[in-house]
DNA sequence: GTTAGTGCAAACCTTTTGCAGCTCT
DNA sequence: AGAGCTGCAAAAGGTTTGCACTAAC
């Protein structure tokens, strides 16, 4: 969304385009990554050291409610925080590798079909959708099978992880 | 999943089927609802008053990692906690009404097609999927438009919500 | 008997709230 | 002028951790 459109969107709801909001909007629009509140806060502070973490949270909440950004969980692979992206690109799913953390985006007709079927089937008015898929990317599949072989071929007794270790 | 299958699944990983875990498994399997850790804790405590909240969290984490339950966010409509359901039913999406909180489940071929396309397109090995759709159910769409008319037709001046109120 | 699991208390991380003062329009 | 916004401090909500004791196998 252009700066001008965003400005209009805020104005029309009686909201103000403050110095802090300008900084945060540029960071979200410009980064092209999925940033969480803490990352945004760190980046914003380099521009305006007085900008408070609370302002970041309040701004994100406002942008989310205004439909200007989407909130992601990314399968909570890194923790329980939320990530944000603009609504510029069309609807897409997020594919998260549970080993290396890499995130891919998938645009494809199943997402549109799902949307249409849900609207038709339930008479539902859709405002937000979130599709997240967790597993192993092709690269990590190879690494995992090699790790597995290493354990079996190892000179050490191929001890299985204790249950406690497995939980960590 | 039957009690026996679950037992095997735990045993094969060197995990124990304790009194506390039996209670929690029955609650999750039996309820048919999407329960969060706190609800499970409250229910479990009625059966065993000494069962600790921490045990609930540890058990859920273990079941999730073992692929015995799925974790849901339900669009964080009620807060930032997680909800849980067994993996008995096939893959499905959750449709959450942002007004009344009602949750519907949608089973349909777009979900399978999405899965296949992602596997084919990225060579991805899928372990978990989560599709959540937020909006208004047909019932709440009607209520909302009525509420809106009420405001316009009201004898009071049709004041718009202040921005502060809108955020609450 | 050994190792996994539990309960308790305390810590942790992320996010929200109350309030006085500041700033955009 | 006046409503909206910010910063600060403090609290809240949900979840995890360290450790000594207990129970499953």
């Amino acid at each position: 969304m252009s700066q001008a459109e965003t400005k209009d969107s805020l104005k029309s709801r009686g909201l103000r385009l403050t110095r802090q909001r300008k900084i945060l909007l540029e960071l979200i629009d410009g980064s092209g990554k999925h940033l969480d509140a803490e990352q945004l806060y760190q980046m914003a502070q380099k521009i305006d050291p007085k900008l408070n973490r609370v302002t970041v949270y309040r701004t994100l909440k406002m942008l989310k409610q205004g439909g200007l950004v989407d909130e992601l969980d990314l399968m909570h692979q890194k923790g329980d925080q939320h990530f944000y992206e603009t609504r510029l690109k069309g609807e897409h799913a997020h594919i998260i590798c549970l080993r290396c953390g890499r995130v891919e985006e998938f645009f494809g007709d199943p997402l549109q079909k799902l949307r249409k079927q849900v609207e038709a089937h339930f008479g539902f008015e859709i405002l937000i959708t979130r599709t997240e898929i967790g597993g192993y990317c092709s690269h990590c599949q190879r690494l995992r099978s090699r790790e597995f072989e290493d354990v079996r071929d190892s000179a050490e007794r191929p001890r299985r992880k204790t249950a406690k270790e497995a939980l960590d």
Side-chain angles (χ1 to χ4, degrees), chain A residues 72-132:
Chain A
L72 314 174
D73 295 302
L74 299 184
M75 284 291 174
H76 302 297
Q77 218 241 334
K78 299 187 182 176
D80 280 354
Q81 74 278 61
H82 296 129
F83 297 85
Y84 297 87
E85 65 181 8
T86 57
R87 270 210 183 175
L88 281 178
K89 325 183 211 181
E91 186 169 345
H92 57 279
H94 290 97
I95 324 288
I96 302 103
C97 179
L98 301 177
R99 185 179 176 283
C100 68
R102 188 186 174 102
V103 180
E104 298 280 356
E105 300 185 335
F106 176 79
F107 303 71
D109 54 338
L111 294 168
Q112 269 63 48
K113 285 190 179 137
L114 174 65
R115 173 183 278 269
K116 275 182 197 134
Q117 286 191 18
V118 167
E119 286 170 345
H121 194 277
F122 298 103
F124 200 83
E125 178 190 345
I126 294 177
L127 296 182
I128 2 173
T129 70
R130 188 184 299 171
T131 298
E132 301 188 337

Side-chain angles (χ1 to χ4, degrees), chain A residues 6-157:
Chain A
T6 303
K7 202 167 178 174
D8 290 349
S9 168
L10 297 184
K11 267 193 183 170
S12 71
R13 287 176 287 147
L15 300 171
R16 293 174 183 170
L17 189 64
T18 62
R19 183 171 42 82
Q20 293 89 335
R21 288 180 183 174
K22 276 183 203 159
I23 293 173
L24 291 169
L25 279 169
E26 293 219 343
L27 288 174
I28 297 172
D29 273 3
S31 87
K33 294 180 193 165
H34 304 116
L35 301 170
D36 65 15
E38 184 62 24
Q39 292 172 307
L40 274 166
Y41 170 59
Q42 298 297 341
M43 292 166 74
Q45 254 204 343
K46 289 187 184 148
I47 301 168
D48 176 357
K50 295 228 53 174
L51 195 152
N52 196 278
R53 185 181 272 106
V54 172
T55 299
V56 176
Y57 281 106
R58 282 193 282 231
T59 302
L60 288 172
K61 189 174 184 180
M62 179 207 75
L63 295 174
K64 178 175 51 162
Q65 294 190 339
L68 299 176
V69 302
D70 277 324
E71 189 180 72
L72 314 174
D73 295 302
L74 299 184
M75 284 291 174
H76 302 297
Q77 218 241 334
K78 299 187 182 176
D80 280 354
Q81 74 278 61
H82 296 129
F83 297 85
Y84 297 87
E85 65 181 8
T86 57
R87 270 210 183 175
L88 281 178
K89 325 183 211 181
E91 186 169 345
H92 57 279
H94 290 97
I95 324 288
I96 302 103
C97 179
L98 301 177
R99 185 179 176 283
C100 68
R102 188 186 174 102
V103 180
E104 298 280 356
E105 300 185 335
F106 176 79
F107 303 71
D109 54 338
L111 294 168
Q112 269 63 48
K113 285 190 179 137
L114 174 65
R115 173 183 278 269
K116 275 182 197 134
Q117 286 191 18
V118 167
E119 286 170 345
H121 194 277
F122 298 103
F124 200 83
E125 178 190 345
I126 294 177
L127 296 182
I128 2 173
T129 70
R130 188 184 299 171
T131 298
E132 301 188 337
I133 299 182
Y136 296 117
C137 69
S138 56
H139 183 234
C140 287
Q141 285 168 45
R142 284 193 286 276
L143 290 178
R144 275 172 57 81
S145 59
R146 193 185 309 162
E147 283 163 9
F148 196 60
E149 280 160 24
D150 286 351
V151 170
R152 281 194 321 198
D153 299 348
S154 161
E156 292 180 48
R157 181 152 97 283

